[in-house]
Amino acid sequence: MSGQHSNSEIAVRVRGLEERLIGAGLTSDEQLDAIIGRVSSGSPAHGARVVARAWVDPAFRERLLADGNRGLEELGFSLSSGPQPQRFTVVENTPTRHNVLVCTLCSCYPIALLGPSPSWYKSEAYRARVVREPRAVLAEFGLELPGDTEIVVHDTSAESRHMVLPMRPDDTEGMDEAALAALVTREGLIGTAAA
Amino acid sequence: MTEPRFMAGDRVRTTTVDPPHHTRLPRYARGQVGEVVEVQGTWPLADERAQGLPDARVEPVYTVRFAAEDLWGPPGGHWVQVELWESYLEVVA
């Protein structure tokens, strides 16, 4: 939490910055703690739970795709706790369409649901290249898509946040929801992996 | 509530203005023609919020789809969807 940094050089510098911002009246320890709490509560496992439920419950899947915020709330998650509620949408992969997420301007990401984004998601290389040559970038991640698959790159440039709903892998008919959730990776939720 | 000027299916052109302040219109998508996919809702204009203006204009935000070939030239073959405030968009004559 803010004010409780270990005694490393970077922590001292971070605390110095926090104190300057608080002193200038721009924020408070309480506000910083609330943000850190929101970020810390997110996890890719939460997204995986949402995906697994959508795989086993067609009615939930429909509701989730129609209104991502309401779908999250059914499972006890929310992106509405921040300074301004974020609209949440789930984009569905199909046999003919693959979705991949980016924020070319910075690093917008559904942090309160999924936790901090991976470092590559924030890298200039990923942000610059995935809008221009997604097929090549996905191949570098090990995802080779059929030539006729339509690719949609979603640039998170405003106040919405997104998550990809991967296709359910083959030969998983006998699996329960928990086992299915274990198949879902953070890359699958961003669209740089199949699941 | 601002009544949205555009609806899904409309073709729109993004402005070429290069403002001296923060904006959320990515440079690669400026001066490009795309198609409105969805009206997302309304939000305070990021450009004005970033300047600390007390009453930032509240505007519709649209999901706009661009063909990769229009943005980058051949070979294209994919779509890029960008989320844009109404101020960034003009009618395509």
Side-chain angles (χ1 to χ4, degrees):
Chain A
M1 304 306 266
S2 69
Q4 298 178 355
H5 295 291
S6 62
N7 193 20
S8 69
E9 187 186 344
I10 186 73
V12 170
R13 284 166 59 190
V14 169
R15 185 57 195 160
L17 180 61
E18 288 174 349
E19 286 174 350
R20 291 288 300 273
L21 292 168
I22 292 165
L26 293 170
T27 186
S28 65
D29 273 325
E30 292 71 27
Q31 280 185 321
L32 291 171
D33 286 349
I35 292 167
I36 292 167
R38 274 203 308 278
V39 172
S40 309
S41 68
S43 162
H46 298 170
R49 271 188 54 201
V50 175
V51 167
R53 176 65 58 85
W55 283 347
V56 301
D57 182 343
F60 172 75
R61 180 194 191 101
E62 290 302 314
R63 294 195 298 273
L64 178 72
L65 294 172
D67 184 337
N69 295 86
R70 281 188 57 195
L72 283 190
E73 282 160 18
E74 284 189 46
L75 299 189
F77 301 121
S78 171
L79 284 181
S80 307
S81 60
Q84 62 176 359
Q86 290 174 326
R87 176 175 178 265
F88 180 68
T89 77
V90 176
V91 288
E92 172 188 37
N93 287 348
T94 71
T96 57
R97 170 187 270 212
H98 182 86
N99 298 280
V100 60
L101 310 180
V102 66
C103 171
T104 61
L105 293 172
C106 46
S107 57
C108 295
Y109 186 78
I111 295 175
L113 178 67
L114 301 182
S117 58
S119 55
W120 55 259
Y121 182 86
K122 303 188 259 280
S123 74
E124 288 190 359
Y126 176 76
R127 290 155 48 207
R129 290 185 58 215
V130 77
V131 282
R132 194 170 186 132
E133 44 174 352
R135 200 171 285 277
V137 170
L138 295 177
E140 289 171 29
F141 275 93
L143 180 59
E144 301 268 3
L145 293 171
D148 56 356
T149 298
E150 178 185 54
I151 299 177
V152 183
V153 184
H154 301 261
D155 191 353
T156 312
S157 53
E159 308 291 0
S160 291
R161 299 294 178 266
H162 312 289
M163 188 176 85
V164 174
L165 175 56
M167 284 190 288
R168 180 169 173 166
D170 294 336
D171 306 320
T172 57
E173 291 77 8
M175 286 189 178
D176 66 12
E177 216 175 307
L180 287 168
L183 301 175
V184 181
T185 67
R186 185 167 62 175
E187 285 67 33
L189 302 171
I190 298 171
T192 51
Chain B
M1 279 302 249
T2 326
E3 200 54 41
R5 185 177 167 199
F6 305 109
M7 53 189 281
D10 285 356
R11 286 170 62 75
V12 290
R13 185 186 308 275
T14 53
T15 177
T16 55
V17 173
D18 187 25
H21 50 69
H22 174 81
T23 184
R24 299 290 300 179
L25 170 56
R27 200 169 290 269
Y28 74 83
R30 291 184 195 171
Q32 300 282 355
V33 173
E35 180 190 337
V36 173
V37 175
E38 183 186 21
V39 186
Q40 292 193 356
T42 57
W43 279 272
L45 180 62
D47 305 51
E48 297 190 350
R49 275 187 65 218
Q51 295 173 71
L53 300 179
D55 296 309
R57 270 182 292 171
V58 175
E59 290 187 355
V61 172
Y62 302 90
T63 308
V64 181
R65 181 173 80 159
F66 299 92
E69 191 161 0
D70 290 343
L71 298 174
W72 318 112
H78 63 276
W79 299 99
V80 180
Q81 291 193 175
V82 190
E83 300 160 8
L84 301 170
W85 271 267
E86 191 167 275
S87 293
Y88 305 162
L89 303 176
E90 301 160 359
V91 177
V92 173

